[in-house]
Amino acid sequence: MSAPGAMLSRPPAPAGNPPGVVPQIVLAVLCGGYAVGAAFGWGSPEVAAIMGDFGLSFAAFLAAFSCGLYARKRRTRFRPAWMLFAASSGMAGLGNGVWGWYEVIQGTTVPSPCLADFCFLLFAPPAIVGLLVLAKRPVTRAGWVCLGLDSWLIAGSLVTLSWSLALAHTAHFQGRSVAQSALSLAYPLLDIVLVSMVLALHFRRSSVHRSAINTAVAALALTVLCDALFSSPLLREHYRSGQILDAGWFAGSMLLAYAPWVARRAGEECPEEDVKPARRVPPHGSRPIAGSLAALTPYLAAAVCTLGILTNVLDGRRIDRVVLFTGCTVVLALVVRQGIMLLDNITLTQELAQKENHFRSLVQGSSDVIMIAAPTGVLRYVSPAAAGVYGRDAEELVGSELASLIHPEDLGRVVHEVRRFLAAAPEDEPTTRIECRFRAGEQRSGGDGWLNVESTVNRHHGGLIFNSRDVTERVRLQAQLQHNASHDALTDLPNRALFTERVTQAVTGRRASDHDTAVLYIDLDGFKQVNDTIGHQAGDELLVQAARRLGDSVRSGDIAARLGGDEFAALITGDGTRDRAAREFRIHEIADRLRIKLSEPYRIDGRDVRVAASIGVAFAEPGVSPAGLLRNADLAMYRAKQAGKGRVELYAPQMQSEVAHRAELATKLRTALHDGAFTLLHQPVVELAGGRVTAVAAHARWRSAQGILFTPAEFLRVGDRGRFTDDGERAAELDRWQLEAAVEQAAARHRAGYPVPVAVRLSARRLLDHALSPKGVESLLTRHGLPSRALVLELSDSDSRIPLDDLERRLVALRRLGVRIALDGFGSGYAAISALRRLPVDVLRLDRGLVDGVVESARLHKITAGLLRIAGDLGMQSVADGVDLPEQVLALRSMGCTHGMGMAFSGPLDEHRLRRSLTHAHYPVPDLPGQSRAVVLTGSGLPVRHGGPAGPDSLMHPPLRSNSETSVPPT
């Protein structure tokens, strides 16, 4: 806090507190006691002489000590003044001491002139300079000149009056020496100067240390008065030390000794130079008395001077030259002072006119409207800016009541704020701000005749000043931003935040009769295909039309919202139905009507686009939270999608338990991914002609705590509310783990002497991942030391959403590294032929569905034979998946199939059993008709015959793994 702020915030000490009363009582007792003693002559002439001389000397030295001590302790800008007062009092004390030396100690008459006279003469100059220091210093050169002229006007008038009354008689030498006459004139002249300074500075004194300055001025005035009485010939002839006149000098010295400490006693002490106390603002219409007397001081001085001249004229005496000269100089000083004041007034008038013009330009040129209202609420002044802001002329508004211009709905709030503001202290709350609607003219009506206005309000002589500006656009923008924050930008329906708020209001504030309030959770089936096939712009248009249908279909008291993507919701308020079957029928009917409406064709870009709607319904049962109600509706919606889409499903409590079960399995899956609970099994790929193992297909398995092995098809179904597929995040992580583990184990087998290629099955989307870029695959093979020809990447599907151009470029780059590419599931789906035509494929893997019925169905036999013939004509190897029976082996071999894998040879094996089977290097195959049967190997269940070991050429075109994902333990 600054020094002025600290001073204003600190309450002043009470004037009558004990520290200030005791010194005043002591001072009054001393002065009164001295006056009583002087009045009664002190009992004897000797005591009177001692008290009249040394008593006055003691009092003067006490004043000098007090002023000097204060000046030393208190370092303020008035310190020189108190030092000068100390010097002045010291001279008076020294003069009285010299006077007492002659009268009391030596018992002789005081000579004239003597040292005491010079000490008394030196009393006035320091006091005069000290008064100048205490005065409020003028800030301009003209102010200093006026101060000097005022002092001379007062001094000249007093000289004229004093000379006419007494000094003229003193000026006659009457046989006295020049020094004696000069001393006789010096006393009154210096006193006149001192009195002039006292009078001139009385109305110019500084507001700081006011009590101390008043006390010092009173002390000097009392001393000068006693000096003037002493200078009169009548009193001086009969003066004796110790008389009543000495009591005045004694009281003056004691007051001057007390003066510097008055500020501390009264709580006015302020040690900083630049401290300015709070200015007390006079009431409106009043004029300060001190200012009026200060303005009249020069004229009063001229009147006194005129009175002195008239005294000479009325006494019939000739006007003395001193009086004439002094009077002329007083008149001249008055004329000069008036000229200076006239010039100063002209300058001030020009400055005032300039400031007024400046203020008028600011007010009239301001874009804000400035209005002054009387305490009655009537507008006294309105700036011209009202025409541009309000669309109404300022003259039209002047004289009207402010309350009639404020919107009735805002008037009560505005009146309350104005009353509160006027009741507050101005220093605590100088301004306030009010925002309301203001009646506008026809030019700014904006359709409703009201403008949003923000006003800064200040006090003005009991009334108010309004500095107002139009904030209509800002209010509209804020309203628009609030609308945008709570509404969907595309469809303009309420968004999730606003919908959740309305659901909360319906759930927490509903009555007992509307417990059948329900939430409908809606998802558009097939919307993703619309985006992928005809573009996102068409998808946005479909969402807009769907939102319009939804908004038109719900009742006026209900609310429809877009939650994000292709998900919508509706809040259906209850009608008081208590029967459970009746309320379910009513809500199901509303939901089914919405489903039919949303499933109608959409006309987009000249074509009909169809999507379905899956809707989940949940009722606001007692005790359910808003978040729980939304969750229940969401669960019901996903149950509708799982049940075939385009359906309406009501929430049932068991859905929550199913979600909890899936969440538990998903948690186990995450834990398994991070804790390494997966294992890799390999299924041999056998050459059908000789039974050689030419490759192994990698199969990922998850071993549960009970030791059961689950396939990916089984544990991937537990993710993301049953919608988790191979494209999910955890599936991607699993595929990355499977590829790296397969490469690492294949490299280890190569180093152990089992150079068998490994096939890893991946989806088309996964093959386009950045992790499977050619550089990434090359880095993986280099890190584990596996030759690129020992890796086969199987394309497990041909997703229509995957661009074939991108997939072709990726597969070509992988083949340049030496990696083999296989097409899995050939013979199923609709994109197999297109993929075969575009993609660089080395191996075709027949779908399991072709192998299962190849022996029994002649039609399927011909289809399979044709596909194998295509593979042979293209120079590709063929691998049959799911070869479980000997008859299938014979049939496929006869049709030209080169390789097979299935239970006819072996199921998925762990690493130990795989290496044991690779040691034999072949599996027995069935004999041709007419040949002898071979022995049956343990675990095969098939008649086999021995063949040769697998050679190095079997690594050139490795086959792929099976589509079978059955959960079987290793054999």
Side-chain angles (χ1 to χ4, degrees):
M1 182 182 291
S2 63
M7 177 178 168
L8 291 175
S9 63
R10 183 174 61 246
N17 54 357
V21 173
V22 175
Q24 293 176 4
I25 295 176
V26 173
L27 179 64
V29 169
L30 290 176
C31 294
Y34 193 97
V36 170
F40 291 98
W42 297 102
S44 65
E46 293 79 8
V47 177
I50 294 173
M51 295 302 295
D53 295 333
F54 291 110
L56 293 181
S57 178
F58 171 78
F61 280 125
L62 180 63
F65 175 77
S66 176
C67 293
L69 180 63
Y70 181 83
R72 183 178 180 182
K73 286 187 175 182
R74 311 293 175 185
R75 297 184 178 274
T76 67
R77 68 183 179 93
F78 297 135
R79 181 187 179 193
W82 297 113
M83 294 294 294
L84 290 169
F85 289 152
S88 177
S89 299
M91 291 295 102
L94 183 60
N96 285 307
V98 171
W99 196 288
W101 172 266
Y102 285 109
E103 276 193 346
V104 177
I105 297 179
Q106 292 188 357
T108 61
T109 303
V110 179
S112 180
C114 66
L115 180 61
D117 295 326
F118 293 103
C119 291
F120 290 143
L121 288 176
L122 292 177
F123 167 79
I128 294 172
V129 179
L131 287 175
L132 287 174
V133 175
L134 288 178
K136 185 185 297 182
R137 300 175 184 178
V139 295
T140 62
R141 189 177 303 171
W144 284 106
V145 174
C146 289
L147 176 61
L149 293 174
D150 290 343
S151 301
W152 171 243
L153 286 173
I154 297 173
S157 61
L158 293 177
V159 166
T160 301
L161 184 61
S162 300
W163 192 274
S164 301
L165 296 176
L167 295 182
H169 304 287
T170 307
H172 298 289
F173 297 127
Q174 299 176 356
R176 291 190 291 178
S177 64
V178 176
Q180 291 176 341
S181 300
L183 287 174
S184 300
L185 292 176
Y187 283 131
L189 290 178
L190 286 175
D191 287 338
I192 288 173
V193 175
L194 187 57
V195 170
S196 302
M197 294 303 303
V198 169
L199 293 177
L201 298 178
H202 175 68
F203 303 110
R204 294 177 177 267
R205 63 186 182 276
S206 175
S207 58
V208 183
H209 289 282
R210 182 180 298 272
S211 300
I213 295 174
N214 289 338
T215 306
V217 169
L220 294 176
L222 182 59
T223 302
V224 169
L225 178 61
C226 294
D227 289 343
L229 294 174
F230 176 76
S231 300
S232 62
L234 181 61
L235 290 179
R236 187 164 187 175
E237 292 178 357
H238 302 85
Y239 173 78
R240 296 290 182 272
S241 296
Q243 292 181 351
I244 193 64
L245 189 60
D246 292 345
W249 281 314
F250 182 84
S253 298
M254 295 304 294
L255 282 176
L256 191 60
Y258 176 70
W261 307 98
V262 175
R264 185 180 181 185
R265 300 296 180 186
E268 299 175 2
E269 183 180 5
C270 189
E272 298 294 335
E273 288 189 15
D274 56 347
V275 171
K276 296 181 180 180
R279 181 171 59 92
R280 180 174 299 174
V281 180
H284 178 62
S286 65
R287 296 180 180 178
I289 298 177
S292 301
L293 293 177
L296 294 176
T297 301
Y299 305 100
L300 294 175
V304 171
C305 181
T306 304
L307 181 62
I309 297 175
L310 289 176
T311 302
N312 286 335
V313 174
L314 293 176
D315 290 344
R317 292 177 295 177
R318 186 174 58 88
I319 299 177
D320 194 277
R321 286 177 295 177
V322 175
V323 174
L324 181 61
F325 175 78
T326 306
C328 292
T329 56
V330 168
V331 173
L332 179 62
L334 182 61
V335 172
V336 173
R337 188 184 188 283
Q338 288 301 109
I340 294 175
M341 294 302 297
L342 179 60
L343 294 177
D344 194 20
N345 288 336
I346 293 174
T347 304
L348 291 177
T349 303
Q350 293 176 350
E351 291 180 358
L352 181 61
Q354 183 180 2
K355 291 181 179 179
E356 185 177 356
N357 292 332
H358 188 199
F359 170 75
R360 184 180 294 107
S361 300
L362 289 176
V363 172
Q364 295 180 355
S366 174
S367 59
D368 293 350
V369 180
I370 299 176
M371 302 183 297
I372 300 178
T376 58
V378 178
L379 295 177
R380 291 178 175 174
Y381 172 80
V382 179
S383 65
V389 176
Y390 298 149
R392 306 178 65 175
D393 294 335
E395 293 79 6
E396 178 186 353
L397 293 175
V398 173
S400 59
E401 292 187 0
L402 186 61
S404 64
L405 302 174
I406 299 175
H407 196 282
E409 296 179 359
D410 300 338
L411 182 59
R413 176 172 52 84
V414 173
V415 172
H416 178 270
E417 175 62 20
V418 169
R419 290 177 177 175
R420 185 202 62 79
F421 172 66
L422 293 177
E427 58 272 13
D428 295 337
E429 189 174 3
T431 62
T432 187
R433 193 180 68 172
I434 295 175
E435 187 170 333
C436 63
R437 284 168 289 181
F438 198 87
R439 188 183 302 277
E442 296 180 357
Q443 302 175 1
R444 294 295 310 276
S445 61
D448 55 1
W450 298 98
L451 296 175
N452 293 93
V453 175
E454 181 186 66
S455 302
T456 302
V457 186
N458 295 270
R459 298 173 178 84
H460 176 70
H461 299 313
L464 296 172
I465 297 179
F466 292 86
N467 192 350
S468 306
R469 62 203 63 88
D470 181 15
V471 293
T472 303
E473 292 300 325
R474 189 193 72 185
V475 172
R476 291 176 180 173
L477 179 60
Q478 289 177 346
Q480 183 64 37
L481 291 176
Q482 291 177 355
H483 179 83
N484 294 342
S486 59
H487 288 76
D488 178 58
L490 178 63
T491 63
D492 203 39
L493 287 178
N495 58 13
R496 182 182 292 272
L498 180 57
F499 184 77
T500 303
E501 179 182 349
R502 295 296 176 82
V503 170
T504 302
Q505 294 174 359
V507 171
T508 58
R510 69 181 189 275
R511 302 184 303 273
S513 59
D514 56 6
H515 60 277
D516 55 338
T517 297
V519 169
L520 276 59
Y521 214 103
I522 307 166
D523 185 84
L524 299 182
D525 303 322
F527 175 75
K528 185 172 180 57
Q529 285 73 13
V530 174
N531 274 341
D532 295 337
T533 55
I534 61 177
H536 289 275
Q537 186 174 359
D540 291 343
E541 178 62 26
L542 189 148
L543 292 176
V544 171
Q545 295 185 22
R548 189 179 301 117
R549 293 182 185 182
L550 182 60
D552 295 340
S553 300
V554 297
R555 302 173 303 178
S556 59
D558 301 334
I559 179 175
R562 182 191 177 203
L563 304 183
D566 59 342
E567 293 183 344
F568 296 85
L571 176 64
I572 309 299
T573 57
D575 59 357
T577 303
R578 294 183 176 274
D579 183 62
R580 185 180 184 87
R583 72 173 186 179
E584 290 182 358
F585 177 80
R586 181 180 68 88
I587 297 297
H588 195 282
E589 184 181 15
I590 294 175
D592 199 56
R593 186 174 67 250
L594 291 177
R595 180 190 64 80
I596 296 173
K597 188 68 175 179
L598 293 174
S599 300
E600 293 178 356
Y602 295 86
R603 191 70 178 174
I604 300 175
D605 294 336
R607 69 172 74 179
D608 288 338
V609 179
R610 290 182 177 271
V611 294
S614 297
I615 302 178
V617 180
F619 288 96
E621 302 290 350
V624 67
S625 64
L629 180 59
L630 292 174
R631 183 193 64 243
N632 295 343
D634 191 16
L635 293 176
M637 185 271 292
Y638 280 113
R639 172 58 66 87
K641 295 180 74 68
Q642 291 175 354
K645 301 181 181 180
R647 300 168 53 90
V648 176
E649 286 287 342
L650 298 180
Y651 171 77
Q654 58 267 26
M655 295 181 183
Q656 185 64 33
S657 60
E658 294 176 1
V659 170
H661 178 66
R662 288 197 299 268
E664 181 182 359
L665 292 178
T667 302
K668 292 181 178 179
L669 174 59
R670 297 188 194 99
T671 304
L673 283 172
H674 290 87
D675 295 347
F678 288 95
T679 185
L680 202 62
L681 304 181
H682 295 83
Q683 189 171 14
V685 179
V686 181
E687 184 183 23
L688 297 182
R692 292 181 303 165
V693 178
T694 58
V696 292
H699 295 260
R701 293 292 185 271
W702 174 32
R703 189 182 301 275
S704 68
Q706 293 77 22
I708 302 175
L709 294 176
F710 293 94
T711 65
E714 291 169 326
F715 60 69
L716 287 181
R717 284 194 296 268
V718 306
D720 292 348
R721 294 176 178 147
R723 297 187 301 170
F724 189 85
T725 64
D726 288 342
D727 296 330
E729 180 182 353
R730 288 184 291 275
E733 186 176 354
L734 176 60
D735 286 345
R736 288 192 294 269
W737 173 86
Q738 179 178 337
L739 176 61
E740 182 153 359
V743 170
E744 181 181 5
Q745 294 183 19
R749 287 192 295 270
H750 272 245
R751 291 191 294 271
Y754 304 102
V756 180
V758 61
V760 182
R761 185 171 181 262
L762 297 172
S763 65
R765 184 177 297 276
R766 200 75 63 236
L767 283 171
L768 290 178
D769 284 350
H770 178 72
L772 286 178
S773 64
K775 291 184 179 180
V777 174
E778 183 180 11
S779 175
L780 176 64
L781 295 174
T782 303
R783 185 168 66 251
H784 293 289
L786 182 68
S788 59
R789 67 178 183 275
L791 176 63
V792 180
L793 295 179
E794 297 182 358
L795 181 62
S796 63
D797 56 37
S798 54
D799 193 345
S800 60
R801 296 170 294 179
I802 303 300
L804 283 178
D805 295 336
D806 297 343
L807 186 59
E808 181 181 7
R809 285 192 294 269
R810 177 59 57 88
L811 294 181
V812 169
L814 290 173
R815 285 193 69 190
R816 291 198 189 103
L817 295 177
V819 177
R820 295 294 180 177
I821 306 299
L823 183 61
D824 187 18
F826 185 70
S828 64
Y830 301 99
I833 298 300
S834 176
L836 184 63
R837 179 176 61 86
R838 296 281 304 276
L839 302 179
V841 179
D842 301 302
V843 180
L844 286 181
R845 183 166 166 182
L846 293 181
D847 183 72
R848 179 181 195 91
L850 298 177
V851 177
D852 287 341
V854 71
V855 177
E856 295 85 0
S857 173
R859 183 183 181 88
L860 190 59
H861 186 278
K862 292 181 180 180
I863 294 174
T864 304
L867 294 175
L868 290 173
R869 216 168 19 249
I870 293 174
D873 294 341
L874 294 176
M876 300 179 183
Q877 282 193 343
S878 56
V879 178
D881 187 13
V883 182
D884 297 333
L885 301 175
E887 294 81 0
Q888 295 172 345
V889 176
L890 296 175
L892 291 170
R893 187 171 57 187
S894 64
M895 286 185 282
C897 183
T898 58
H899 295 78
M901 56 183 294
M903 297 306 296
F905 306 107
S906 174
L909 305 174
D910 60 12
E911 187 65 21
H912 174 71
R913 297 185 181 184
L914 176 63
R915 293 197 179 191
R916 191 175 65 180
S917 65
L918 291 178
T919 302
H920 298 287
H922 70 280
Y923 282 90
V925 295
D927 294 331
L928 294 175
Q931 293 183 352
S932 60
R933 299 177 61 86
V935 296
V936 179
L937 294 178
T938 304
S940 66
L942 296 174
V944 297
R945 62 183 177 86
H946 294 284
D953 56 342
S954 64
L955 301 176
M956 298 304 296
H957 300 283
L960 308 179
R961 71 182 177 91
S962 170
N963 253 341
S964 175
E965 295 293 349
T966 55
S967 55
V968 295
T971 57

